[in-house]
Amino acid sequence: MIFNTKGYLQYMMKRTLLVLLFLSLSMPMFAHGDLSMRIAEKTVAISEDPKNSVLYFERGMLYQQHMEYDSALEDYHKSQSLGNTTKELHYQIAEVNYITEGYQEALQSIASYLQLDSKDLSAKKLQAQILFQLQSYKKSLEGYRYVIHHMKDIRPEDILEYCNIILAENNKNYKGALEAIQYGLDQLGQHTLSLQLKKLDYLKESGETERALKQYNYFILEYNRNEFWYYKKAKYLAEIKRPHEAFISLKLATVAIEQLNAKFKNMSPVIELKEQIKSLESSINNQKS
């Protein structure tokens, strides 16, 4: 077999020129050089094989990575029109429509995906998120509950999103939200800060004052820099009309500040905290008189 060197060089030169032409036309659109090159190469490949549904799908993925969502959807739909019926295509169409707030279209596409793979947790989670945006809270909650109790790589943000859905479905269901927080703490560890903070918020919002105070004590004991938490607890005690306990907590905050290294005492957040302590003490004293 004789290799046609001249023909090969002409072919490669033509491809290179097409890539450079595409890049020059698209430069204002793209910020990432490597991604721009990959899109340009895929565009040249499509020009050589315009009936290839896989190439359109792959370029759509690249557009989506660069947040060129209209172009991504156009390529996904072109891939679909050329016969691509894979579940991956349905998922990407659903995801882009979700991101761009085309929730009805997203719901249709994720339903098509789940017809092909009914137990995929990523797809069920996306479906629950779409249903939430469509204010179909009960169905969203059912779907997300299944995801939470079956996923292995659970994250704090998953638990927090689950809690939002619980309270959207019933804005008084703090019991359910707190149970979800506790489930997350059991799975991820008791020192997961974002969940402990949200637990405090829910305890306060639901009027569970004693449990809320216990949660403040958790933060005071957990962190070496507890002067801020003593102040936060004092502020909460003042809000619930327990001035004597608030005053004690303020004194403990002052003691904690005095025990700080001089470098920390002179930092602006600590100086500001001292002023806040004085202001709250004055407010409590005025309530007493």
Side-chain angles (χ1 to χ4, degrees):
M1 180 179 178
I2 300 172
F3 183 75
N4 189 340
T5 306
K6 183 178 179 181
Y8 176 75
L9 288 174
Q10 288 177 340
Y11 169 75
M12 290 304 297
M13 186 177 292
K14 180 182 176 182
R15 278 184 66 93
T16 303
L17 288 172
L18 285 170
V19 169
L20 291 173
L21 176 61
F22 178 83
L23 287 171
S24 67
L25 293 172
S26 306
M27 199 59 70
M29 295 170 57
F30 298 107
H32 303 119
D34 178 62
L35 189 55
S36 301
M37 182 63 71
R38 290 167 65 194
I39 291 171
E41 290 172 348
K42 201 65 68 177
T43 300
V44 172
I46 288 171
S47 72
E48 296 169 348
D49 190 4
K51 300 296 184 181
N52 191 323
S53 65
V54 175
L55 291 176
Y56 280 102
F57 176 72
E58 290 172 347
R59 191 176 67 173
M61 292 277 286
L62 294 173
Y63 276 128
Q64 185 177 345
Q65 288 175 42
H66 198 261
M67 297 182 289
E68 295 288 333
Y69 298 124
D70 288 341
S71 296
L73 272 179
E74 186 177 341
D75 273 1
Y76 290 150
H77 288 309
K78 181 65 175 179
S79 179
Q80 204 168 38
S81 73
L82 290 171
N84 188 346
T85 58
T86 62
K87 65 179 185 178
E88 290 79 11
L89 178 60
H90 290 305
Y91 187 91
Q92 296 308 135
I93 292 173
E95 188 173 58
V96 172
N97 276 309
Y98 174 70
I99 292 169
T100 57
E101 301 182 5
Y103 300 124
Q104 289 292 351
E105 295 84 352
L107 189 62
Q108 292 172 12
S109 292
I110 205 62
S112 297
Y113 180 102
L114 287 168
Q115 285 177 357
L116 300 172
D117 188 349
S118 63
K119 294 186 178 180
D120 183 279
L121 292 180
S122 295
K124 291 185 79 68
K125 179 181 177 182
L126 180 56
Q127 184 184 51
Q129 291 170 322
I130 295 165
L131 288 166
F132 177 81
Q133 294 298 332
L134 291 170
Q135 298 183 5
S136 184
Y137 298 130
K138 187 173 182 180
K139 289 182 179 179
S140 176
L141 182 56
E142 289 172 359
Y144 214 103
R145 183 184 292 117
Y146 178 90
V147 171
I148 286 293
H149 290 284
H150 287 82
M151 69 192 314
K152 295 179 180 179
D153 55 345
I154 194 168
R155 302 170 301 165
E157 50 265 41
D158 297 322
I159 295 294
L160 295 176
E161 187 170 35
Y162 181 39
C163 290
N164 285 339
I165 297 171
I166 289 171
L167 290 172
E169 196 273 331
N170 179 354
N171 61 10
K172 296 181 180 179
N173 189 15
Y174 285 102
K175 181 178 181 293
L178 286 164
E179 287 174 354
I181 291 290
Q182 190 56 55
Y183 177 80
L185 290 169
D186 292 341
Q187 297 297 310
L188 296 165
Q190 296 301 311
H191 300 309
T192 307
L193 180 58
S194 60
L195 298 186
Q196 292 287 6
L197 288 169
K198 185 56 70 173
K199 179 179 178 179
L200 176 59
D201 288 342
Y202 288 157
L203 289 170
K204 289 167 62 178
E205 290 168 15
S206 61
E208 294 199 45
T209 55
E210 295 306 319
R211 289 183 67 191
L213 290 170
K214 185 177 178 181
Q215 187 69 2
Y216 275 113
N217 291 338
Y218 163 82
F219 287 114
I220 289 168
L221 295 171
E222 188 65 27
Y223 295 97
N224 293 328
R225 294 292 304 277
N226 53 22
E227 62 275 8
F228 293 97
W229 283 108
Y230 275 124
Y231 171 74
K232 289 176 183 289
K233 180 182 177 182
K235 189 175 179 182
Y236 177 64
L237 285 162
E239 289 171 359
I240 60 174
K241 310 300 182 186
R242 290 164 67 165
H244 178 69
E245 293 169 81
F247 193 77
I248 292 172
S249 193
L250 287 174
K251 290 301 179 185
L252 290 170
T254 301
V255 170
I257 290 171
E258 290 304 314
Q259 293 175 344
L260 290 173
N261 183 290
K263 178 180 73 174
F264 293 114
K265 286 182 184 179
N266 294 322
M267 287 184 171
S268 57
V270 175
I271 294 171
E272 183 180 347
L273 176 62
K274 290 168 73 173
E275 293 300 317
Q276 290 173 327
I277 289 170
K278 288 180 182 178
S279 176
L280 187 54
E281 282 180 339
S282 176
S283 175
I284 290 171
N285 286 327
N286 289 337
Q287 288 177 14
K288 289 178 179 179
S289 58

